[in-house]
């Protein structure tokens, strides 16, 4: 937790207050926060501030804003990922949010186990988004969409997201063209499930405007490939 | 598991055999391997082959090599990481091996909890190296070293690893110079603990030839920053 994320209604009076149990526990146990300390605070969907701790009690920590701070820029990228196993999903959401992905789409695919769509983690996504934002020092949650049918998404939705200025790259091991690097334009990235997209899916993606691109001969897990690709694409 | 890693002694006769319980279980449960199937196999510290399954029993799977395959190239990088929490260590080793890091050094640092050096995971590192190699399709284990004293390492060992052709970059949030990208030369990367290196440590690193470089204003967890940095550095 590198900032404390507050709801706008917690910052309406002159003194702001932290009341969420998770945040209070973290600040007491890991930070040992004391009156007079400074604390970085972000207002959900708003600005970021350096604040001073005015009071600490069991029920709340009171803060006074001192100075505005910059909210980090987002990466101009939409990440479309085949729905992963629940444990991987949690990490994937946190990492994507931490790294500044603008929009995340979870998509069904032939090699995705249907049971993954039933995981209780899906109800907890906002919590993992919060953890990612608090890690990064960001205040703006990415949009998250779920698409449970591959073909209608790829044929009807995906083409509306692709243009000459905003290409879409599908990571695919069996292709010659390499994933680009150090780009200066927005884009969409598609990451397949464990075992990859099936040939039918790759063909449909290409037919609908996606470029199949390779990351070399090493086969990388979904949760590892996301930071790897983001580091590569936006390295300017 | 994208290849099955075998010891050279398992490949001495005409027919090779898989006998390790972990590998047999995986191949039966997840791959449902049958006589006549092809299977990718790597010989530890040696070559990689496409093989044909000749026999499947409870005790072993027998294989016949068909053709040699290329072992993926390593990244020309030494990764020096402040010893992380045990759970993070496991992921960090697997990911670094999967991505092709040549050498990994685990280092003590002021903000590293001393108890981390007592974790039983340290005895299991070879197992996590195997998992990383089998994921990537690689056969060559990276060298792993443990250095429990920061100052002697930085003053006596680190300078011998740095030259004009092989710079060392320490990821540090509070510096102007950006982490390079798309490089074509070998290098060493240093990643601090949760909370970062302390100023004394950063000063000592710089005095001993390291460049402090920033990854931007987002604060990224150790296990996420490693694939992110590797994707950025070796994106050519």
């Amino acid at each position: 937790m590198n900032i404390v994320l507050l709801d706008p209604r917690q910052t309406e009076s002159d003194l702001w207050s932290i009341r969420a149990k998770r945040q209070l526990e973290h600040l007491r146990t890991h930070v040992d926060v004391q009156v007079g300390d400074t604390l970085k605070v972000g207002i959900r969907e708003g600005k970021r501030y350096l604040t001073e701790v005015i009071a600490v009690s069991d029920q709340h920590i009171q803060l006074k804003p001192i100075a505005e701070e910059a909210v980090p820029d987002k990466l101009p990228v939409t990440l479309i990922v085949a729905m992963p196993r629940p444990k991987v999903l949690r990490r994937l959401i946190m990492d994507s949010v931490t790294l500044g992905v603008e929009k995340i789409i979870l998509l069904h695919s032939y090699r995705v186990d249907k049971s993954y769509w039933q995981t209780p983690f899906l109800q907890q996504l906002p919590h993992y988004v919060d953890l990612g934002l608090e890690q990064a020092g960001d205040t703006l949650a990415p949009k998250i969409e779920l698409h449970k049918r591959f073909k209608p998404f790829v044929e009807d939705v995906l083409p509306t997201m692709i243009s000459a200025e905003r290409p879409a790259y599908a990571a695919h091991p069996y292709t010659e063209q390499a994933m680009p690097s150090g780009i200066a334009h927005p884009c969409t990235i598609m990451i397949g499930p464990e075992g990859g997209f099936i040939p039918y899916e790759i063909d449909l993606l290409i037919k609908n405007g996606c470029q199949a691109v390779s990351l070399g001969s090493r086969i990388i897990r979904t949760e590892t490939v996301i930071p790897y690709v983001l580091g590569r694409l936006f390295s300017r």
Side-chain angles (χ1 to χ4, degrees), chain A:
Chain A
M1 194 194 270
N2 293 301
I3 63 166
V4 182
L5 211 54
L6 296 181
D7 282 329
R9 64 172 186 279
Q10 291 171 277
T11 62
E12 277 166 1
S13 52
D14 287 350
L15 288 188
W16 301 354
S17 56
I18 304 173
R19 293 181 179 278
K21 205 178 152 200
R22 172 181 67 82
Q23 292 172 332
L24 289 175
E25 273 182 13
H26 179 90
L27 292 169
R28 285 212 202 87
T29 318
H30 295 284
V31 186
D32 188 25
V33 74
Q34 304 288 340
V35 171
D37 288 353
T38 57
L39 209 58
K40 290 173 193 285
V41 164
I43 303 179
R44 214 178 277 280
E45 304 304 313
K47 295 179 176 174
R48 229 182 85 165
Y49 294 88
L50 190 68
T51 69
E52 186 187 327
V53 176
I54 301 298
V56 177
S57 79
D58 281 354
Q59 282 75 44
H60 68 304
I61 294 172
Q62 282 196 305
L63 309 167
K64 189 178 70 181
I66 301 175
E68 198 180 316
E69 294 193 318
V71 175
D73 291 335
K74 291 273 188 224
L75 299 178
V77 65
T78 296
L79 181 64
I80 306 178
V81 194
M83 183 69 170
R85 282 180 292 126
K87 263 178 72 173
V88 173
L89 174 62
R90 200 170 51 166
R91 257 195 71 83
L92 183 154
I93 294 291
M94 278 198 282
D95 282 355
S96 305
V97 173
T98 298
L99 293 170
V101 169
E102 228 167 33
K103 183 173 176 180
I104 302 167
I105 295 177
L106 300 170
L107 178 63
H108 192 65
S109 151
Y110 185 79
R111 292 208 175 103
V112 168
D113 190 324
K114 287 215 174 84
S115 71
Y116 294 173
W117 292 99
Q118 311 305 325
T119 172
F121 277 136
L122 279 176
Q123 268 67 59
Q124 298 165 25
L125 290 188
H127 172 61
Y128 294 106
V129 169
D130 279 1
L131 296 183
L133 291 173
E134 289 186 334
Q135 168 68 38
D138 195 355
T139 62
L140 308 168
K143 290 177 196 66
I144 302 185
E145 290 178 8
L146 276 58
H147 289 269
K148 293 192 191 180
R149 293 175 65 212
F150 184 85
K151 192 163 177 267
F153 174 81
V154 174
E155 290 187 332
D156 303 336
V157 184
L158 186 61
T160 68
M161 303 167 56
I162 301 177
S163 67
E165 295 75 36
R166 193 178 175 104
Y169 306 112
H172 184 57
Y174 309 110
T175 188
E176 285 297 309
Q177 196 192 332
M179 176 76 79
S181 67
I183 65 173
H185 55 77
C187 72
T188 292
I189 315 171
M190 301 200 65
I191 306 286
E194 269 185 72
F197 290 117
I198 60 172
Y200 164 82
E201 290 173 331
I202 282 289
D203 290 347
L204 199 69
L205 287 171
I206 293 171
K207 219 163 85 182
N208 285 280
C210 220
Q211 299 173 44
V213 292
S214 159
L215 284 164
S217 57
R218 293 178 177 272
I219 303 181
I220 309 170
R221 294 188 303 170
T222 308
E223 62 267 47
T224 312
V225 87
I226 288 171
Y228 186 72
V229 166
L230 294 174
R232 177 184 173 103
L233 282 173
F234 300 102
S235 55
R236 287 203 169 194

